[in-house]
Structure formats: C-alpha cells, structure tokens
Amino acid sequence: MQSESFTETPTQADSSHRARYQAARAAQPDRRKKRERVFAVVTIVLIIAAWMIGFNRENGDMEPYLHQAMPEAERLEKTRSGSYAAYSSEQVIGYIVVGEGNGYGGPMNLAVATDLQGRIVGLAVVRHRETPSWFKRVQENGFFSGLIGKSFRDPFTLGRDIDAVSGATYTSRGIADAALRGSRLVAEKNLNFSVPAQAPPKIVFGLPEIVLLALFALGFIGHRKSFRYKKKLRWFCMLTGMFPLGFIYTNPLTISLINKMLLGFWPDWHTHLYWYLLLGGILFTLTASGKNPYCEWFCPFGAAQECMGKIGGAKPYAISRYRSLLKWLQRGLALAAILVALMYRNPGISSYEIFGTLFDLKGNIPQFFLLALVILASLFVHRPWCRYLCPLKPLEAFIRFLKTWLKNIWPNKNTVTVTVTPKNN
C-alpha cells in the first residue's frame, strides 16, 4: 500500500500566511491597548508611592538651621508661640522662628532670627522647592544680606525698599514674605509690639494674562473646521507666544509647574493668576474638545523650533524608524522627572527643560549644549524637542488615554443585558 502525502500548494500557502498575518495585525491593537493600560496603572501607583516617600522624609531636625540663623546663641528654648528664645550667658538675646513664603516652586521656609528690637539679624534656608540654578542666582546676588537689619515695621516691598533679583521675581518675593512673616510673628507673640496691619494681596493681572487669554480664544477659533485662515492664524499665534510670553516675560509651561500641583503647592491666585489661566485653559480644552492649543499654537519653544524648521526645511517624521523607542524614552524621562520631584518634595529639582536657557540665556554648560543640539536638529526635524523629549507631551497623552478608558468603562458598568428566551409552541 502506498502512503499518501499532502503538500500545500503555493496558493494555499500564500492564503494561510496572509490569514496569519492579518490575525496578527488584528491582535496588535488589543496588545497595545493592554500595554497602555498596564503602563497607566503602574504610573499612578508609582506617583502615589513617590508622594508618600517624599512626605515621610521631609520632616527633619530644625536645630542646625536655628543655630545657622543665630550662631552666637549658646542655648535655644522653645516658646509657647512656637518660636525659639536664643540665650547667651543665660540672657535672652533674641528669638528665632520659621517663616513661610510662597516661591516659584512652592512653600519656602526660612529660619528668621531677630533681636529684641524686632530687627532681622540672621536668616537660614530651612527648605525650598526652587530650581537650584535660579535659587543660586538669588543667593549670589546678595538678596539675603539685603534683608539683614530690616525691622518688622518695614513694608518689605519688592522694587521699593527691596531689590528683586532679575529673572527670579517669584523666588525673591517668597524669601521676602517669609522673612516679613517671621519677624512680625516674633514681634507680636514674643516682644509684644504692635504689628502693622498687612495689606490684602493685589491681583496681578497685566499684559501676560491678557495675551494668554487672547491666544486661547484665537486657538479655539482656529481649530474650527470651517475656519479658512487656519495656517496664517496659527503662525500669528506662534510668533505672539514666542516673543511676549517667551523672550519678554519667559513664562512657558514646564514640568516644574505640574510637579508643584501634584505636591499640593497651590500658589496664591492673586499673584499667580497667569498659571491658573494657563493650566485651566489647557485642561478645559483638552477634556472638552480633545485639543491642546497651547502646545501646537503658542508654545514659545515650539514656535522657535518651527521657525528654525522653516529655514532648514524640516520634515515631520525624519526619525520614524525609531519612533516607538523614542516615544517610550520620552515617557520614561517625564515619569522620572515627576517621581524625583515628588520624592524630594522639590518641583524643579528634576526639570531638564531648556526653555529658560533659550529665552533668558541662563543655564549651565550641559543645558546650553542640549539647546544647541535641539536648535540644530530643528533645521531638519520638525519640532524635535516636542516630539521626542518634551515631558508635557506624555502627560497630554496620558490624560487623553485616561479620558478614553474611563469613557469605555463607564457604559459597561451601566449596561443591562436582556436575554429573550423563545417560547416553545
């Protein structure tokens, strides 16, 4: 008996291979969706864990800072008001208290030492959340020494009796407020002096806020499908964002601001209205329409890259071969920046953005080197920083993903399945 063998014909082989390929292609979206959901859950868990670690490690020993503020003190004794009485030869020579002010990165704590007349005689930084390079600029400009000798009766007004450090106005104001509050707390609680009434904070609303609101309005109009002059309006918005918000005011959206909000360091809206308008506008447009006009229409650094791209003829997808790898690298950098900031309770400590390096010409050698690479790449690649390095793009994608995921989950929980059983005749 001869054995029979079956050999697959070329047509059948091609058909089988095509079917397996189509099945694999059909399964890709499900695998990608599952991977994205796992990444989202892991991200949320890591953020919560980092926040708790940072919160637990923040409380440290205060005594070294107190002695730094008043080195001549031989002994410190805590008072009922929470301040510390400083003794020398068993005589009270002054008081030390920790004052708090709101800087750019969040609450700032200073050990404020005053003499028995209520004059500041020493300051020591207990904790700050500013970007290290910006805080160093304030220290090197002698801002702290300018507060020594100030009385609790002085107004501590920036630009009048105190010179703010150029480019670090928020940090300067936070230090001055902490010193003022500390000195007045000692004067009222320990020295029994009459403290001047503090004027209510004034709402800071000027040209940056007006320009920002106008750009959001133009972005909303330009995103409408029926608008005919979208390209021209977009370039007008980009140039407007680059010059007033970038080169003049240097107010771009950075990961430091996001970290500040995650840490719960909500600044006073009277003096930081710009940031509330910026974040509120992005979140509203992103959740309501799925559009983010800031990044694509008037981000100052994005506009600078597009201007360079016009000169060099940049292409949109010049690095498409490594697109997936670069996307996960971008996500990893953004997540690492957030986790480090939460663990160390400092919003700006892990910021790697180079906006200030371009618009304020301030930064270290690595930042200027990275800026040069990005500007050079912008000649050939469309917005290389935005596409492959900017930490805000992954955050935007994360919000979009969570919105879609929740939208898909919610109907499933409220869907009632009705089964109809046919009657037997």
Side-chain angles (χ1 to χ4, degrees):
M1 181 182 293
Q2 294 181 345
S3 60
E4 295 182 359
S5 62
F6 175 78
T7 304
E8 194 174 34
T9 64
T11 305
Q12 291 173 326
D14 292 342
S15 177
S16 176
H17 176 73
R18 189 162 47 248
R20 287 195 300 269
Y21 176 76
Q22 291 176 350
R25 286 289 300 271
Q28 281 184 358
D30 292 335
R31 288 198 298 267
R32 190 183 303 115
K33 187 181 298 183
K34 184 178 180 180
R35 185 169 61 244
E36 295 286 348
R37 290 178 178 179
V38 170
F39 178 75
V41 173
V42 171
T43 298
I44 295 173
V45 171
L46 288 176
I47 288 176
I48 295 174
W51 194 97
M52 294 178 66
I53 292 172
F55 181 80
N56 291 328
R57 66 187 297 273
E58 187 175 28
N59 297 322
D61 187 13
M62 293 288 300
E63 192 164 340
Y65 303 104
L66 303 178
H67 283 289
Q68 184 180 346
M70 189 175 279
E72 61 271 24
E74 299 174 357
R75 181 170 64 89
L76 298 173
E77 184 178 307
K78 194 169 186 178
T79 67
R80 293 181 179 179
S81 63
S83 62
Y84 294 83
Y87 289 84
S88 179
S89 301
E90 297 305 317
Q91 295 288 329
V92 178
I93 60 174
Y95 293 89
I96 311 172
V97 70
V98 177
E100 183 175 289
N102 197 6
Y104 179 82
M108 183 184 305
N109 303 103
L110 293 181
V112 184
T114 65
D115 60 17
L116 299 180
Q117 286 72 45
R119 291 189 297 266
I120 296 176
V121 296
L123 295 168
V125 181
V126 177
R127 189 180 298 112
H128 76 86
R129 283 94 176 179
E130 308 301 280
T131 303
S133 59
W134 294 98
F135 194 77
K136 184 179 180 182
R137 182 191 300 188
V138 175
Q139 290 178 310
E140 293 177 346
N141 276 271
F143 185 78
F144 286 92
S145 60
L147 297 173
I148 304 299
K150 291 288 183 182
S151 170
F152 70 94
R153 295 185 179 91
D154 294 331
F156 286 66
T157 305
L158 292 183
R160 295 181 184 177
D161 56 333
I162 300 176
D163 294 327
V165 178
S166 177
T169 305
Y170 290 119
T171 304
S172 303
R173 183 184 290 117
I175 295 171
D177 288 344
L180 173 63
R181 291 172 184 173
S183 63
R184 289 189 172 180
L185 182 62
V186 168
E188 182 180 8
K189 300 295 183 181
N190 301 111
L191 302 176
N192 296 320
F193 290 146
S194 178
V195 176
Q198 190 169 357
K202 295 182 179 180
I203 299 177
V204 178
F205 185 85
L207 187 58
E209 289 77 18
I210 295 174
V211 171
L212 184 64
L213 290 174
L215 288 174
F216 268 117
L218 292 176
F220 178 79
I221 295 173
H223 273 96
R224 300 175 64 181
K225 294 182 179 180
S226 58
F227 190 74
R228 296 174 55 187
Y229 306 101
K230 182 176 181 178
K231 187 175 181 180
K232 293 181 180 179
L233 182 61
R234 181 173 176 270
W235 270 102
F236 173 79
C237 291
M238 283 196 297
L239 294 176
T240 303
M242 183 171 65
F243 286 101
L245 301 185
F247 286 106
I248 298 177
Y249 296 104
T250 316
N251 281 334
L253 177 62
T254 64
I255 192 66
S256 299
L257 183 61
I258 305 298
N259 290 334
K260 185 192 301 186
M261 300 305 179
L262 291 175
L263 285 166
F265 302 153
W266 295 84
D268 186 358
W269 70 271
H270 295 88
T271 55
H272 296 74
L273 184 59
Y274 177 91
W275 304 117
Y276 285 99
L277 293 174
L278 179 58
L279 282 179
I282 292 175
L283 289 176
F284 175 77
T285 55
L286 195 59
T287 54
S289 62
K291 304 293 184 180
N292 179 9
Y294 175 81
C295 288
E296 296 297 331
W297 279 63
F298 51 92
C299 170
F301 197 62
Q305 293 173 81
E306 286 211 31
C307 289
M308 297 301 297
K310 280 293 182 181
I311 298 174
K315 297 180 181 180
Y317 301 104
I319 320 179
S320 57
R321 181 178 180 183
Y322 304 102
R323 190 178 178 186
S324 178
L325 176 62
L326 291 170
K327 181 184 75 172
W328 283 100
L329 174 63
Q330 186 179 23
R331 290 181 174 185
L333 288 174
L335 181 58
I338 293 174
L339 296 180
V340 171
L342 295 182
M343 286 191 291
Y344 287 92
R345 307 285 290 178
N346 189 331
I349 194 173
S350 58
S351 176
Y352 56 90
E353 292 151 312
I354 50 177
F355 300 136
T357 310
L358 173 63
F359 297 115
D360 203 34
L361 296 179
K362 299 291 182 181
N364 51 39
I365 294 177
Q367 287 175 322
F368 276 106
F369 180 74
L370 179 59
L371 175 63
L373 289 179
V374 172
I375 294 298
L376 181 63
S378 299
L379 294 170
F380 311 102
V381 182
H382 180 72
R383 288 196 175 207
W385 175 270
C386 301
R387 290 183 177 277
Y388 308 115
L389 287 173
C390 179
L392 300 178
K393 278 291 183 180
L395 291 176
E396 177 187 336
F398 187 70
I399 294 174
R400 292 178 188 272
F401 177 78
L402 288 180
K403 176 187 174 184
T404 305
W405 191 9
L406 292 175
K407 188 184 293 185
N408 293 335
I409 291 175
W410 185 256
N412 294 337
K413 290 186 175 181
N414 296 278
T415 301
V416 179
T417 304
V418 178
T419 303
V420 179
T421 304
K423 294 181 180 180
N424 296 325
N425 293 328

